[in-house]
Amino acid sequence: MKSIHLSLLAGAAVMLAAVSCAKTETIQDETPAEIGFKAVATKADPELTGASLGTDNDYVIYAAASADGSPKYFDPAATNYGGQLFAYFTDGAKWFPASGSPYIKQHIYWPFGGVKVDFLAYALTPDAKTALSPTFHSETHAREFTIDDWDTFANQYDVLYAVANGCVPGTDGNVALAFKHAQALLAFTAKKSATTTVDLTINKITIKDLEYAGTLKVDNYRANLKAGWTISAHGDKDLSAAEGISDFPYTLNSTATQITTNLLIPEQSAKQIVINYSMGGKTFDYELNIPRNPWVMGKKYTFNLEFSAAEITLEPTVNVWMEIVDNEQIG
């Protein structure tokens, strides 16, 4: 790409014969750099295919950008608060501005003169984008985004968010975005002991008084990015009826098998969980004795159940659900 060289001829020197020469002043000499993203996140729930975010377009990115004098950098007409679509293009091995589906690469450039740009982005599937309709701040787009009235139990969508503030193009125009999950992930594995010969079946798994609907707001106005929920609905929910892994009733065998995964609103206190199971022709309810610590955003909670004719044992594990694998940052 050719470099741009801007010059001004002093006054009307070229028009006046009385002036024998003109003074040339160089304003700037910069090469336009296209904006692109290097997006990073580990594998989430089964929606997110591949080892990391950034290998295909099962997920897409919508981003807002604000710069000095241009708080709606990606949308100067302020007609679309849904943000600029970015899709993954294999020819550049990164995320470029795009339009339509199939995705057509667009060209958006960094401002000249070292102007710093703030970016706020979310990543989700195209279906989730349609269902949830996230919106960026109407005046300063990179200030915040909101998802209103989200029933997270009925709409099991893994929404990720990222921020990169005060960025300049650097050598390649790329911005590294480290995405985080907006929810917690709850999973169950189950098996029966090798010495248990009686048939054992899990009929359902109920979580009591679950906070399952509300508004998510990701706030980039603060010094540190903050994601928070305002709860609008709670009640008992059958986890085995939600989008999960196994069909219920589920018959146990001696191999530990993950039978459910559920995305949950974080920062609520851990709830009472009841396992309804059948053994020897009779049906029982068993209340799990679980820690009462709040579920933390971005962490996966796995409850490993083992059934025997004598007892049920529980071994909980907690893992970081999202790990940064590339800390490169532009700006």
Side-chain angles (χ1 to χ4, degrees):
M1 188 175 291
K2 294 181 179 179
S3 102
I4 292 179
H5 186 84
L6 302 179
S7 301
L8 290 180
L9 296 181
V14 295
M15 300 176 62
L16 298 177
V19 179
S20 60
C21 61
K23 179 181 178 182
T24 300
E25 180 181 351
T26 299
I27 303 302
Q28 57 184 346
D29 190 354
E30 298 188 47
T31 300
E34 290 193 71
I35 293 175
F37 290 146
K38 291 287 189 179
V40 179
T42 60
K43 188 172 182 178
D45 69 347
E47 283 184 279
L48 185 54
T49 60
S52 65
L53 184 65
T55 58
D56 52 44
N57 284 308
D58 287 343
Y59 270 53
V60 291
I61 293 172
Y62 282 85
S66 298
D68 291 342
S70 183
K72 306 163 188 175
Y73 192 71
F74 283 163
D75 185 17
T79 57
N80 173 21
Y81 302 141
Q84 169 63 46
L85 169 66
F86 281 73
Y88 186 79
F89 290 89
T90 56
D91 59 349
K94 66 179 180 181
W95 299 72
F96 287 98
S99 64
S101 181
Y103 303 113
I104 300 173
K105 190 182 297 185
Q106 304 293 295
H107 302 283
I108 298 180
Y109 297 91
W110 290 85
F112 283 140
V115 175
K116 294 182 178 180
V117 183
D118 294 343
F119 296 95
L120 178 63
Y122 56 81
L124 37 59
T125 64
D127 287 344
K129 172 65 167 59
T130 300
L132 302 180
S133 298
T135 56
F136 287 102
H137 192 276
S138 61
E139 297 300 326
T140 305
H141 286 181
R143 173 172 173 169
E144 67 185 33
F145 78 80
T146 304
I147 299 175
D148 292 317
D149 302 321
W150 180 7
D151 184 335
T152 67
F153 193 79
N155 297 289
Q156 286 275 294
Y157 295 122
D158 182 22
V159 175
L160 300 97
Y161 65 94
V163 63
N165 289 328
C167 298
V168 294
T171 58
D172 57 7
N174 293 342
V175 177
L177 291 178
F179 281 87
K180 299 179 180 180
H181 299 283
Q183 300 180 82
L185 186 63
L186 179 65
F188 284 89
T189 70
K191 70 173 185 177
K192 65 179 182 180
S193 67
T195 58
T196 300
T197 58
V198 64
D199 288 341
L200 278 161
T201 301
I202 296 179
N203 301 311
K204 65 179 181 178
I205 302 173
T206 302
I207 187 165
K208 297 290 188 178
D209 198 31
L210 177 70
E211 297 172 354
Y212 64 87
T215 294
L216 170 66
K217 179 179 178 181
V218 177
D219 184 358
N220 192 28
Y221 185 67
R222 302 165 184 258
N224 296 312
L225 184 70
K226 180 177 176 60
W229 289 83
T230 302
I231 304 302
S232 61
H234 59 91
D236 296 353
K237 289 293 182 180
D238 179 5
L239 298 185
S240 52
E243 180 180 318
I245 295 177
S246 298
D247 293 328
F248 287 83
Y250 176 79
T251 300
L252 280 72
N253 55 47
S254 58
T255 301
T257 303
Q258 186 164 297
I259 58 175
T260 65
T261 56
N262 297 90
L263 292 156
L264 302 177
I265 294 175
E267 312 308 328
Q268 57 179 305
S269 297
K271 305 296 184 178
Q272 178 187 4
I273 297 175
V274 177
I275 308 293
N276 180 266
Y277 69 99
S278 296
M279 180 178 65
K282 297 185 181 297
T283 299
F284 306 89
D285 282 335
Y286 181 82
E287 180 181 344
L288 295 180
N289 182 21
I290 63 174
R292 298 301 183 187
N293 297 325
W295 291 317
V296 177
M297 186 178 295
K299 289 192 176 182
K300 178 178 181 180
Y301 298 81
T302 302
F303 295 109
N304 303 301
L305 301 169
E306 182 172 349
F307 290 69
S308 72
E311 63 179 350
I312 302 173
T313 60
L314 172 70
E315 180 185 353
T317 61
V318 180
N319 295 308
V320 175
W321 181 21
M322 193 280 296
E323 297 177 353
I324 304 305
V325 296
D326 183 352
N327 288 323
E328 177 189 0
Q329 178 66 57
I330 303 298

